Amino acid sequence: MTTSQAVETPSEWCQRMMDNAKDGTEAMTYFTLKERWVGIIKQALDARKRK
């Protein structure tokens, strides 16, 4: 199965959801999720560098 759609990273998905949020509370939820995702990736990359 092939698709012509570009693959979104979780961070890009969060940004898109923030942009389309119905209100500030929903946007803040996606912002928080995006920040957590970015933090997790940073920790993983830092751990990989230490090996």
Side-chain angles (χ1 to χ4, degrees), residues 4-39:
S4 61
Q5 290 181 329
V7 176
E8 283 182 309
T9 65
S11 185
E12 290 169 334
W13 178 84
C14 288
Q15 183 65 50
R16 183 169 53 85
M17 297 305 286
M18 270 192 324
D19 293 345
N20 295 320
K22 296 178 193 107
D23 57 37
T25 301
E26 185 179 358
M28 192 61 180
T29 299
Y30 288 112
F31 174 79
T32 302
L33 182 59
K34 180 180 177 182
E35 290 299 302
R36 287 182 184 177
W37 175 253
V38 169

